[in-house]
Amino acid sequence: VVLASGTASGKTLGYNLPVLSALLEDGDARALYLFPTKALAQDQFSVISHQCSVLEQTLKTEHWTLNTGIYDGDTPTTQRKAIREKARLILTNPDMLHTGILPHHTNWGDFFRNLKFVVIDEMHTYRGVFGSHVANVIRRLKRVARFYGANPQFILTSATIGNPQELAGRLVEEPVVLIDTDGSSRGERHFLIYN
């Protein structure tokens, strides 16, 4: 699935809701979020943490916990094992996936065995040579997931690209369904022509 709509149109909510719902229903399910920058991962981590705290307060259940974690170059070595073993939703970037996760997949067996979703945010940044490198990393990710018996659902997002379905299909090497209806509210627009 590729979500392509304007900035601040709700794409994050569009993928967080189904992912969090699936993680709530299946206590073993895992999700991997890829962001192009560490800053964006940090920003989204705060959004997800807030949504999870609201869910936990609303559901008032002791049985549901969603450990989330950021696994990137800034993650302290002392925290990496706990994130690897306990986090059900991991936020990272393509470089860390390539160098820090995939080569050590045997340490991530439980995570890959239960991987249900891979979210690739801001996919328009993965064009050209960089895009081909990321496509190869995703190819490796899919191969490792299959090795552990998983076939995750890919969800890609972009706000600023003219061919989202084509790019998404090339990145994940699968047919994708495009959702580009933007129902977000906008202010009235005025066009002025000044001569």
Side-chain angles (χ1 to χ4, degrees):
V1 174
V2 57
L3 305 173
S5 59
T7 302
S9 61
K11 289 183 295 298
T12 301
L13 196 58
Y15 62 75
N16 275 346
L17 287 179
V19 170
L20 293 176
S21 176
L23 295 179
L24 179 62
E25 292 172 10
D26 180 355
D28 293 325
R30 304 290 194 274
L32 179 68
Y33 284 19
L34 292 176
F35 298 98
T37 65
K38 291 190 281 185
L40 186 56
Q42 291 285 343
D43 181 55
Q44 292 301 318
F45 180 73
S46 66
V47 170
I48 291 166
S49 296
H50 175 70
Q51 290 173 342
C52 289
S53 68
V54 169
L55 274 173
E56 288 178 29
Q57 291 171 8
T58 304
L59 297 174
K60 296 187 189 322
T61 179
E62 298 173 11
H63 305 291
W64 186 76
T65 57
L66 180 59
N67 293 323
T68 59
I70 296 176
Y71 198 87
D72 62 23
D74 292 337
T75 304
T77 307
T78 56
Q79 295 176 10
R80 291 184 180 197
K81 184 177 180 186
I83 292 171
R84 187 172 52 245
E85 293 176 355
K86 296 178 183 173
R88 295 185 54 215
L89 194 157
I90 292 179
L91 295 83
T92 191
N93 55 62
D95 185 53
M96 193 62 174
L97 179 62
H98 168 66
T99 60
I101 297 175
L102 293 176
H104 311 285
H105 65 86
T106 55
N107 296 331
W108 293 81
D110 192 48
F111 184 83
F112 284 117
R113 200 172 353 275
N114 295 292
L115 184 60
K116 303 293 183 212
F117 293 95
V118 176
V119 174
I120 303 172
D121 198 22
E122 303 290 337
M123 71 167 188
H124 59 273
T125 61
Y126 306 126
R127 301 176 302 212
V129 174
F130 180 53
S132 69
H133 290 304
V134 172
N136 282 320
V137 171
I138 293 169
R139 184 180 297 133
R140 287 177 52 220
L141 169 63
K142 289 170 63 175
R143 189 173 63 239
V144 167
R146 278 194 309 270
F147 177 79
Y148 288 96
N151 185 24
Q153 167 71 55
F154 282 83
I155 303 171
L156 299 93
T157 70
S158 181
T160 56
I161 192 165
N163 60 341
Q165 191 170 19
E166 179 185 353
L167 179 60
R170 286 184 177 177
L171 283 171
V172 299
E173 296 180 324
E174 293 178 16
V176 295
V177 175
L178 172 64
I179 300 172
D180 62 354
T181 304
D182 188 342
S184 60
S185 59
R186 295 207 172 142
E188 187 177 347
R189 293 183 184 177
H190 299 278
F191 291 95
L192 303 173
I193 299 173
Y194 179 75
N195 187 356

